Amino acid sequence: MNSHNIGIIGTGYVGLVTGVCFAKLGHNVICSDVVEEKIEKLKRGESTIYEPGLEELLAETTGNGNLYFTKSNKEVVDKSDFIFICILTPEKSDGSADLSYVYNACQEIAQSMTEPKSIIIKSTLPATAVDSIRQKIRENTDIDFELLANPEFLAQGTAVRDSLEPMRVIIGADDETAAKRLRDLYTNITDDKVVLTNIPTAMLTKYASNTYLATKISFMNSIAAICEKVGADVESVAKGMGYDARIGARFLHAGIGYGGSCFPKDTKALYKMAKEIGYDFKLMDEVIKINENQRQVVVEKLRRLLGNLKGKNIAFFGLAFKPGTDDLREAPARYIMRELIKEGCSVVGYDPVITNLVTNGPNNSWEDLKDIKIYNKVCDAAKDADAIVVATEYKDFKDRLDFSKLAQRVRTKVIIDGRNVLPYEEAVKHGFIYSSIGREDV
Ligand code: UGA
């Protein structure tokens, strides 16, 4: 195969996985980041994120010379023909996407260019931003460039597999030749799964995909609320729906809502962008509200089962927004813990990966959780608990939990399974009251 020179600006989640996987496909990849410690760590072969399989691939691709890290964006521009912008687009206080980091990167890329380049937006950006990005680059260079959009679809915990075996590749470009040149980098996908389109379409495809999945989840959480009122079981409803290939079985799990760095941010950004261009996306507004309300469901269940919550000990099993990651961004557990602390509860946690609630960088608005004790054994976390709350859908919780031991450790035998993952027969056998989402208490 032909190997190409690829540059990655921004070595966060998307940038790092994209860079490593392009290197694995045999391309020459150079990655930069403004955070110097990150680059130092990566140069030592240590991954800066927790992602299964990534560190091994990092060792392989830096070892065979396909992957290289630098602190200099200029070096990336000099050495690459394709420059991927993988910069964060955090949520602003009004819900819109903050594009300032992307604009800064565009300016720097443009000022560093000495010959024509392909500049590819991989960050998740509203389609309305294309013109301003193009303008930002144009203002800072007279040299020709091609602007393309190539959104990423990797999910945390399966990011390496999602990148090496993608379900689809979406490429937005102004002309077909540029699109095809970018397509050729993806030697790991057949043409039937590649969509070549214009730039706004590519960008909107990303938002539409994430927000549609979020909509599925909020829809099922609404069905769960109805299930609880009529004595139905949301898990069986989801199973029955999932057999219909037109619906699909995935992302139909009711629970305490979606979290993470993508769905909460992207739902709000799409709603905001639609509003700005004159469309009131009421459905998206509801999806967001249902999700925020879903965290409160746990507090209400605890109140119903324990009465006044003041002075109660609550143990959380699972803290991250999803299994297999240490990421606490928008994790429902954090919001629920904060609510319970306000009610006068004492809160502790157990998580297979997380040891501290303020990981993933400083986030002062969560300072109130920084002293919460996090255990690495469920039995330690359960000591004297008045209730156990399951907040992350670890499928193997059932193997990790010995209910007879737990029953001896807790003060009151109450479990709120916020992700419907525990074997409730076992819990009930050992005297626990078991309450889950969208099913009757047992
Ligand atoms: C998501 C998308 O799934 C990826 O395709 C996308 O590329 C990525 O965002 C991104 O934009 O970068 P991710 O945020 O890693 O990936 O996590 P998901 O696996 O999608 O889960 C998101 C949240 O939904 C989690 O809190 C999870 O617990 C929740 N969820 C998921 C449910 O509550 N129910 C479900 O049925 C599925």
Side-chain angles (χ1 to χ4, degrees), residues 152-156 206 210 213 217 251-253 257-259 262-263 266 321-322 393 419:
E152 62 78 27
F153 294 97
L154 52 87
Q156 288 181 228
K206 167 70 186 182
N210 271 7
L213 291 172
I217 298 169
F251 282 76
L252 290 183
H253 297 292
Y258 58 78
C262 304
F263 289 178
D266 294 348
F321 83 98
K322 68 186 270 191
E393 60 272 37
R419 297 294 188 176

Side-chain angles (χ1 to χ4, degrees), residues 77-93:
V77 175
D78 284 345
K79 292 189 171 157
S80 313
D81 301 313
F82 298 90
I83 302 160
F84 285 82
I85 299 177
C86 301
I87 304 277
L88 71 168
T89 52
E91 185 183 318
K92 288 205 282 194
S93 54

